[in-house]
């Protein structure tokens, strides 16, 4: 299989949640931001932004929203956001207001831009020997986050990211086989997913039991049942929060 | 500034739309898929999948949906999708149906997973000297794409990606300054965006005029007005298409 410096890091990817406390050098942070800036962007519109959370009080508040205390200790804590505010403001301020930056297609373009920027930063960080951890949990309380970060209309939080020098050695969590996730041409539906996932369940069980012999739910399918059963009703209100941020998501197309 | 093999590729990122016609070696494609498999994933749920479009007729149909004829010639054409179908089916087939895989939070988790997987593949491809081009335009006609790719309920197209050996030498399109896109702690609103974007407009004008002396709209702000004015009503129906794919996006939280 082809191999190079980048691939080696990518194939060894793992998530780190504990970091050495020292802040990252300014030059390292600037490099991550340069990489972010050069990320591919839909129609060159650059409709995403990054908030670099340096204020310890704000870090603590975000940790509380995430319900993950380690977030407060992240050496570098970034929040990637949809940003159609800037482009909308540019058209206004140059005297050509357009008023389409809040349409659904614009939201999804910008959401995609924000995500791929985050992953580009992850790859850059890993290439420099740093560890990373995505934080989907910033979406636990969107209105609180919007207020804390002073996010204007036509912006929206997408994902958080912790970056730092690893201070732990987590294993590489197994992944399901390619045959379950990558298909030729059209989507492949399996006859029996219990059977299709059985081998992966065995692999996961061995991995998790080695890490914690007392683990109650070591299989992928068991963990899946648990995760899909966990309810956070506030996270299901995302469309309301999107509308509150000025995105015109119609209730029905013919409204 | 720190530099290494990965960063050098990232900082030189550009989009390629013309590729040498020969197919990519099997080993290269497999490496891209291995990288995809090891991408970070929300709660380890791996709720995204990839369709590898090898059928020339299907490529041609997707090119027509994208309204970009070069898509039909992509040596490697991948479609990244939200996939909650698989996890939902696993819980059903092991006898523990959960029925939450279609909730809004699950859709956005999977959408984020799909995007970061795509960017991980982009970085892998670029590390091997390949060129890439994202295709947001696959969303021009979601129902047609869903039918062509036989996407089941609880799946949804996110973004397309062309990969191949470059057969052109496009310039590196300038990006706006970091100060406009990366902020400390809270969102920075500028007093006057016409002024804030003025320097970048000058940079873009020089770049685009050098590529095409007759270009009509060489500034970023001018292109922005044009792009935000372009309407594709079908792309604004995304919520309807999401509901048609089984995602339970309430019209109002209290419905």
């Amino acid at each position: 299989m082809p191999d190079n410096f980048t691939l080696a890091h990518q194939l060894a990817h793992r998530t780190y949640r504990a970091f050495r406390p020292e802040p990252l050098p300014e030059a390292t942070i600037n490099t991550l931001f340069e990489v972010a800036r050069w990320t591919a962007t839909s129609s060159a519109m650059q409709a995403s932004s990054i908030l670099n959370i340096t204020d310890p009080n704000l870090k603590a508040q975000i940790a509380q929203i995430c319900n993950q205390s380690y977030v407060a200790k992240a050496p570098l804590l970034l929040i990637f956001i949809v940003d159609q505010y800037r482009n909308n403001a540019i058209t206004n301020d140059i005297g050509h207001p357009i008023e389409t930056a809040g349409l659904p297609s614009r939201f999804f373009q910008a959401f995609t831009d924000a995500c791929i920027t985050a992953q580009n930063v992850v790859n850059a960080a890993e290439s420099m020997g740093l560890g990373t951890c995505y934080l989907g949990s910033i979406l636990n309380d969107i209105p609180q986050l919007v207020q804390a970060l002073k996010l204007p209309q036509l912006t929206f939080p997408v994902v958080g990211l912790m970056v730092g020098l690893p201070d732990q050695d987590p294993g590489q969590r197994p992944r399901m086989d390619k045959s379950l996730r990558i298909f030729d041409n059209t989507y492949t539906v399996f006859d029996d997913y219990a059977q299709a996932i059985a081998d992966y369940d065995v692999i996961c069980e061995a991995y998790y039991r080695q890490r914690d012999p007392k683990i109650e739910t070591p299989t992928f399918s068991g963990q899946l049942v648990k995760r899909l059963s966990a309810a956070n009703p506030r996270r299901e209100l995302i469309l309301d929060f999107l509308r509150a941020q000025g995105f015109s998501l119609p209730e029905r197309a013919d409204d």
Side-chain angles (χ1 to χ4, degrees), chain A:
Chain A
M1 193 185 293
D3 198 11
N4 64 44
F5 177 84
T6 302
L7 297 170
H9 279 94
Q10 291 180 300
L11 296 173
H13 169 76
R14 56 204 69 192
T15 293
Y16 295 89
R17 291 182 179 81
F19 302 101
R20 287 170 54 178
E22 50 270 31
L24 299 181
E26 200 66 28
T28 302
I29 298 174
N30 279 333
T31 301
L32 296 177
F33 291 163
E34 270 304 296
V35 165
R37 203 165 74 92
W38 287 106
T39 306
T41 165
S42 185
S43 300
M45 294 208 290
Q46 300 160 74
S48 72
S49 292
I50 301 175
L51 300 181
N52 175 18
I53 311 301
T54 58
D55 172 3
N57 292 327
L58 197 47
K59 275 191 189 175
Q61 187 180 357
I62 292 169
Q64 173 257 312
I65 289 172
C66 292
N67 197 24
Q68 289 158 328
S69 59
Y70 51 77
V71 172
K73 296 184 200 161
L76 182 68
L77 176 60
L78 305 178
I79 309 290
F80 295 83
I81 65 168
V82 160
D83 189 354
Q84 294 286 7
Y85 173 86
R86 176 175 49 245
N87 284 346
N88 187 60
I90 291 169
T91 64
N92 285 340
D93 288 359
I94 64 169
H96 290 285
I98 305 293
E99 312 289 352
T100 61
L103 288 175
S105 67
R106 300 301 174 200
F107 171 76
F108 282 98
Q109 270 182 308
F111 194 97
T112 303
D113 267 22
C115 293
I116 67 177
T117 302
Q119 181 60 28
N120 216 19
V121 169
V122 164
N123 287 116
E126 292 183 345
S127 82
M128 293 190 278
L130 301 172
T132 63
C133 177
Y134 278 111
L135 301 168
S137 52
I138 61 163
L139 303 181
N140 283 345
D141 190 338
I142 293 169
Q144 192 189 150
L145 191 65
V146 161
Q147 193 171 34
L149 304 181
K150 300 198 201 312
L151 296 185
Q153 291 281 292
L154 301 177
T155 66
F156 202 76
V158 172
V159 74
L161 185 70
M162 302 197 295
V163 183
L165 261 178
D167 194 25
Q168 63 178 165
D169 186 12
Q172 192 179 28
R173 192 137 61 164
R175 297 287 198 264
M176 62 178 79
D177 194 75
K178 270 205 300 268
S179 61
L180 277 158
R181 299 192 62 197
I182 302 171
F183 313 119
D184 281 344
N185 295 305
T186 55
Y187 192 91
T188 302
V189 170
F190 288 73
D191 288 334
D192 178 352
Y193 280 89
Q195 193 194 320
I197 208 72
D199 287 350
Y200 182 53
D201 270 349
V202 170
I203 291 167
C204 285
E205 181 153 4
Y207 169 78
Y208 288 112
R209 282 210 191 285
Q210 201 217 337
R211 277 179 53 175
D212 172 11
K214 291 185 190 156
I215 190 168
E216 277 180 36
T217 316
T219 62
F220 174 76
S221 57
Q223 293 183 352
L224 193 57
V225 167
K226 225 166 141 178
R227 291 205 171 96
L228 286 175
S229 302
N232 182 344
R234 205 160 170 76
R235 282 197 59 165
E236 308 310 341
L237 304 179
I238 188 161
L239 286 196
D240 292 294
F241 301 143
L242 274 165
R243 293 189 186 107
Q245 284 301 99
F247 289 99
S248 61
L249 297 168
E251 295 178 50
R252 287 275 179 231
D254 53 1
D255 269 3

